[in-house]
Amino acid sequence: MADQPRRPRTMNDARSEAEAAFKKATTKAPEAPPRKAAPLPGVKELVSLRIDQDVLQYFQEGGPGWQERINEALRKAAGK
């Protein structure tokens, strides 16, 4: 059998091949979900907390350090 002449490529074939090559080169492998980091001791997190005004006043009467006193009371209540 004689070799058949090659069929000329059309622009659609070239475009499809180029898009497939680009997609293959730029597609990232799916990443594993991020691990939850263990909480670091002593690291504080900024939160907004609503507490009764009389409770806030009680802790603020002791002067500076009232936030630490609230934190300590909450730790005690949490059993830590």
Side-chain angles (χ1 to χ4, degrees):
M1 258 166 100
D3 287 328
Q4 295 281 336
R6 288 190 165 183
R7 189 179 79 197
R9 289 181 137 170
T10 64
M11 285 301 287
N12 287 340
D13 290 338
R15 174 178 279 171
S16 297
E17 286 181 22
E19 287 176 352
F22 181 78
K23 187 174 183 180
K24 184 178 178 182
T26 58
T27 302
K28 293 182 180 178
E31 295 180 15
R35 290 186 185 174
K36 267 195 165 182
L40 300 174
V43 175
K44 305 212 184 235
E45 186 172 343
L46 179 63
V47 295
S48 178
L49 180 67
R50 292 179 179 262
I51 55 176
D52 294 333
Q53 190 168 0
D54 60 328
V55 174
L56 179 61
Q57 215 169 24
Y58 170 80
F59 283 99
Q60 286 181 335
E61 283 173 356
W66 60 271
Q67 291 174 324
E68 287 81 13
R69 289 191 293 278
I70 290 175
N71 192 49
E72 191 58 38
L74 290 171
R75 285 183 151 282
K76 196 175 201 179
K80 297 192 177 206

